[in-house]
Amino acid sequence: MAAARVPRTLLGPACLAGAFALLPLGYLAVRALERGPGFAWDVVTTAGTAQLLGRSVVLAAVVVAACLVLGISLAWLTVRTSLPGARAWSVIATLPLAVPSYVAAFAWLSAVPDLSGFTGSALALTLVSYPYVYLPVAAALRGIDPAQEETSRSLGSGPARTFLRVVLPQLRPAAAGGGLLVALYVLSDFGAVSLMRYDTFTRGIYTSYQASFDRTPAAALSVVLVVMTIALVALETRTRGRRGHARTGTGTARPAVPMPLGRLTVPALSWCGAVAAAAVAFPLATLAYWLATGNRSTWDPAGLLSTAGATLGVAAAGAALTTGLALPVGVLAARHRGRAAELIEQAAYAGHALPGITVALAMVFFAVRYATPVYQELPLLVCAYAVLFLPVAVTATRAAVLQAPPVLEDIARSLGRGPLRVLGSVTVPLAAPGVTAGAALTFVICMKELPATLLLRPTGMDTLATRLWTETGVGSYADAAPYAAALILLAAVPSYLLGRQRP
């Protein structure tokens, strides 16, 4: 199946999605080279750029490593062991998705001012992004056929050796995809590193934009981020390999028997509790403090309700467009080998590592020159969300399709069904739970997005994220608290549903 020729009905939409994701690169090419290649080269080869590169890479590496530890350990405990309250812990493990990075950074910084810098940035970003690893790994654990583990144990392998030699290799695609999302999230984050006063590429690009009307240096720095993204995607592609991960045996799939924890029950509960306290309880407690100390006479319930409605509407539109664009790319990446498939998948990831401000300015550039009617209109903001978060939906779709047995598609084709009918009647229904999870995850991230929303929202429209940032920027933490609470509450609903997913 992997070697089959890519059908045009799949290749065409996938190429369209890849071209759409590459749109900001056209803007960067124009801006970065408008003063000549020599000037751009001088910008990217300075000692300051090298320092920003080193800081960004180290931060991303530390956060990815920490997220892999947190995500895989929590997924194993909640899915494959006799952990008391496993269903509740699985829901709690996804709730950090509802906490924006800038809210987490503010919570920790307001309590521990000395935490600013690298340590605070790494802590805040780890605690809000480990669910990107937890969710796909947990889904993969639920789909793995337990017969392989039972066979391994029957041959004398202990639980640890079985996990390392049988289970972990099957988790590699999910873990690698989640780790890639974490790395791209860290490279493109602006809120947390800004509040923690830690200079990375995103902060350097923002400073360059703010410092002068010359956009060339910032565009040149953004090109470096794109190169880093391509390198990360290529590395992740090699890491996940080309093995099949669908269940191939006959009979009815059955869940694995939970492994008894025994004396490890208390340490396991302590570990889950510590992560939940740091990632969820602490930010909520800080927020509760500001709500309690705020002046309720200044609250605007009508404005809060209107802002929440606008946030839900634009996030839903962004998630719908992103999922639609991601479907052909995810199927292509999961089912077909070849240079074309790899290039399209890499193109889909191009916008995710770019700062939101760069993507927003690219959208403004193209709207003013080629699509004036959508300038400062909602469709432009929705398109920016699709460019920024396409990898989230692609990763979820690819993982879901990988676990769908390709033999069923072969059978459908042998019965005379064309590629489009096979996609609609077999592939998509089998992958629907994973695709839906990706859409829900995209919806949550769209609600929290800040830089692009600040620049592209229609005149007079505010989202919870922009109001929160505005109030926080002038030091009105108590006034910002209601918007932060509403944002977390709304984002917690899809996060809760993601956590409740069971076979």
Side-chain angles (χ1 to χ4, degrees), residues 46-244:
T46 62
T49 301
Q51 186 179 32
L52 289 177
L53 177 62
R55 284 169 167 260
S56 299
V57 170
V58 171
L59 180 62
V62 169
V63 173
V64 168
C67 287
L68 287 173
V69 172
L70 292 177
I72 294 176
S73 63
L74 291 175
W76 174 258
L77 289 173
T78 56
V79 176
R80 285 303 190 92
T81 72
S82 59
L83 181 74
R87 184 180 293 272
W89 286 116
S90 66
V91 172
I92 294 172
T94 64
L95 291 182
L97 289 173
V99 182
S101 65
Y102 42 88
V103 172
F106 164 71
W108 285 99
L109 194 60
S110 63
V112 189
D114 294 337
L115 201 59
S116 63
F118 174 82
T119 303
S121 300
L123 177 64
L125 288 170
T126 297
L127 293 176
V128 301
S129 55
Y130 80 81
Y132 293 130
V133 175
Y134 169 82
L135 283 169
V137 170
L141 282 171
R142 296 184 186 109
I144 292 176
D145 191 343
Q148 301 178 47
E149 300 165 62
E150 294 166 358
T151 302
S152 175
R153 287 194 293 268
S154 70
L155 294 175
S157 297
R161 189 176 182 183
T162 297
F163 177 80
L164 292 175
R165 298 190 63 180
V166 178
V167 179
L168 195 57
Q170 298 184 74
L171 298 180
R172 188 172 63 177
L180 175 63
L181 289 179
V182 171
L184 297 181
Y185 182 86
V186 172
L187 290 177
S188 63
D189 179 75
F190 171 74
V193 295
S194 294
L195 288 177
M196 289 292 181
R197 298 184 293 278
Y198 183 73
D199 287 331
T200 61
F201 261 109
T202 50
R203 197 174 183 212
I205 292 169
Y206 180 78
T207 302
S208 179
Y209 274 125
Q210 294 291 100
S212 69
F213 291 102
D214 185 7
R215 308 304 189 201
T216 303
L221 292 177
S222 298
V223 171
V224 179
L225 273 183
V226 174
V227 174
M228 293 172 64
T229 299
I230 294 173
L232 283 172
V233 174
L235 178 63
E236 187 269 342
T237 300
R238 292 182 178 274
T239 299
R240 83 171 107 104
R242 287 293 181 181
R243 294 182 181 179

Side-chain angles (χ1 to χ4, degrees), residues 14-26:
C15 288
L16 179 62
F20 184 78
L22 290 173
L23 190 63
L25 298 187

Side-chain angles (χ1 to χ4, degrees), residues 172-482:
R172 188 172 63 177
L180 175 63
L181 289 179
V182 171
L184 297 181
Y185 182 86
V186 172
L187 290 177
S188 63
D189 179 75
F190 171 74
V193 295
S194 294
L195 288 177
M196 289 292 181
R197 298 184 293 278
Y198 183 73
D199 287 331
T200 61
F201 261 109
T202 50
R203 197 174 183 212
I205 292 169
Y206 180 78
T207 302
S208 179
Y209 274 125
Q210 294 291 100
S212 69
F213 291 102
D214 185 7
R215 308 304 189 201
T216 303
L221 292 177
S222 298
V223 171
V224 179
L225 273 183
V226 174
V227 174
M228 293 172 64
T229 299
I230 294 173
L232 283 172
V233 174
L235 178 63
E236 187 269 342
T237 300
R238 292 182 178 274
T239 299
R240 83 171 107 104
R242 287 293 181 181
R243 294 182 181 179
H245 298 276
R247 181 176 178 273
T248 58
T250 58
T252 304
R254 55 185 174 81
V257 178
M259 185 184 76
L261 288 174
R263 291 180 296 178
L264 296 177
T265 300
V266 173
L269 288 172
S270 300
W271 173 246
C272 294
V275 175
V280 180
F282 183 80
L284 292 180
T286 304
L287 184 59
Y289 167 79
W290 287 111
L291 286 171
T293 58
N295 183 3
R296 289 175 174 78
S297 63
T298 63
W299 290 8
D300 180 13
L304 179 62
L305 184 62
S306 174
T307 304
T311 302
L312 291 173
V314 71
L321 177 60
T322 306
T323 303
L325 291 172
L327 184 61
V329 180
V331 175
L332 187 69
R335 288 291 189 250
H336 298 277
R337 294 182 182 181
R339 187 61 178 166
E342 290 185 1
L343 287 176
I344 291 173
E345 185 182 7
Q346 290 172 6
Y349 283 87
H352 195 60
L354 291 176
I357 188 173
T358 301
V359 173
L361 289 173
M363 290 296 174
V364 170
F365 174 81
F366 283 102
V368 169
R369 293 201 175 189
Y370 308 110
T372 306
V374 300
Y375 178 64
Q376 285 191 324
E377 297 294 337
L378 191 61
L380 197 61
L381 177 58
V382 173
C383 289
Y385 286 163
V387 172
L388 284 167
F389 307 127
L390 185 60
V392 177
V394 168
T395 299
T397 301
R398 185 190 66 207
V401 174
L402 277 173
Q403 288 199 321
V407 66
L408 299 180
E409 300 168 19
D410 294 336
I411 293 172
R413 280 191 294 272
S414 71
L415 294 175
R417 294 190 177 184
L420 192 59
R421 288 193 64 191
V422 171
L423 179 67
S425 62
V426 179
T427 308
V428 172
L430 287 174
V435 174
T436 302
L441 186 58
T442 305
F443 175 77
V444 172
I445 301 173
C446 288
M447 281 200 294
K448 300 188 297 181
E449 203 287 327
L450 180 62
T453 309
L454 284 171
L455 270 67
L456 296 178
R457 69 189 192 277
T459 303
M461 189 194 89
D462 270 318
T463 67
L464 293 171
T466 59
R467 283 302 301 269
L468 171 61
W469 184 260
T470 301
E471 299 294 350
T472 305
V474 297
S476 302
Y477 300 125
D479 292 336

